[in-house]
Amino acid sequence: MHGITDPAHITDVLAAWGYLGIFIAVFVGNLGIPVPEETVMLAAGFLAGRSLLDLRIVYVTVVASAVTGDCCGYVIGRTGGQRVLVRLASAFPFLRTRYDRLQLFFQTHGSKAVFMARFITGARFMAGPMAGACGMPFFQFLGWNVLGAIVWCSLVVTVGYLVGDELYRALTTAHQASRWIELAGVAVAIVVFVFWWRERHPAVSRPQS
């Protein structure tokens, strides 16, 4: 898993696969597969800043792949994928919370939710299926989908392009630190469990002779 999220590994893969690798990564990320699409777009901007990729083609690639991924999600939702989404939300509590919030957001804000969901990690891939399941007209969905992809994807790629080496070092450092953070999280979880267990099962005092 660390190989998938390691910025150095992602940069090497994109340097080797080029625009096809960028398209595939952003596309599957928009379908809900756990691919760090933001890191991919930052790395693509970073490579464009070093003249290894053409910035204009990177912009077109990330926007096209994001729009295509969301449109596939729309088709899935329109053809019965909503039932699968409900089952997943019922099986996984963290998805259930996001699903309920996004559903309420759709009911309140309508088509603007398609645009806003682009900026919400964890809700991005649910916008297409929910728009399709709610019966939103396709061209209405497509317009807001394209607008959101242009703003969000261009912003992320531009940050990677402008910040360059500093961003790359920061991502690499954060990735290395994440292992220690995970270990610390496990340790905290164990301590919390021990305290919870002792509260639920207090020690029985021995009778005095």
Side-chain angles (χ1 to χ4, degrees):
M1 189 65 184
H2 282 291
I4 298 177
T5 58
D6 185 359
H9 180 72
I10 290 175
T11 305
D12 291 340
V13 170
L14 294 185
W17 283 77
Y19 307 107
L20 177 61
I22 297 171
F23 185 94
I24 293 173
V26 177
F27 175 80
V28 299
N30 278 266
L31 285 179
I33 299 174
V35 173
E37 54 187 301
E38 288 91 348
T39 306
V40 169
M41 290 188 288
L42 288 170
F46 168 76
L47 290 174
R50 305 183 78 179
S51 301
L52 296 176
L53 295 173
D54 187 292
L55 182 62
R56 293 168 296 181
I57 300 178
V58 170
Y59 281 138
V60 173
T61 301
V62 295
V63 171
S65 55
V67 170
T68 305
D70 269 6
C71 286
C72 289
Y74 176 91
V75 172
I76 292 172
R78 198 65 182 263
T79 56
Q82 176 73 355
R83 288 174 293 184
V84 177
L85 196 61
V86 171
R87 290 178 182 176
L88 288 174
S90 300
F92 301 98
F94 73 96
L95 279 180
R96 182 69 198 181
T97 302
R98 291 173 178 172
Y99 173 78
D100 291 339
R101 290 177 179 174
L102 193 58
Q103 190 175 42
L104 178 62
F105 195 61
F106 260 89
Q107 294 171 354
T108 305
H109 299 283
S111 56
K112 290 183 292 185
V114 176
F115 176 83
M116 296 302 299
R118 176 69 60 183
F119 301 86
I120 305 173
T121 302
R124 190 175 303 126
F125 77 95
M126 299 175 72
M130 292 200 68
C134 292
M136 181 183 295
F138 174 73
F139 287 104
Q140 181 182 359
F141 165 79
L142 181 63
W144 287 97
N145 181 24
V146 171
L147 180 61
I150 290 175
V151 175
W152 171 243
C153 297
S154 300
L155 176 63
V156 177
V157 170
T158 302
V159 169
Y161 178 83
L162 294 177
V163 178
D165 292 332
E166 284 72 18
L167 176 66
Y168 180 80
R169 294 193 199 97
L171 288 173
T172 304
T173 302
H175 172 74
Q176 294 172 348
S178 66
R179 302 184 181 184
W180 295 102
I181 294 173
E182 289 174 2
L183 289 175
V186 171
V188 170
I190 292 174
V191 171
V192 171
F193 176 78
V194 169
F195 275 98
W196 173 84
W197 178 266
R198 294 184 64 179
E199 288 291 328
R200 293 289 300 273
H201 302 83
V204 179
S205 59
R206 295 183 179 178
Q208 296 181 353
S209 56

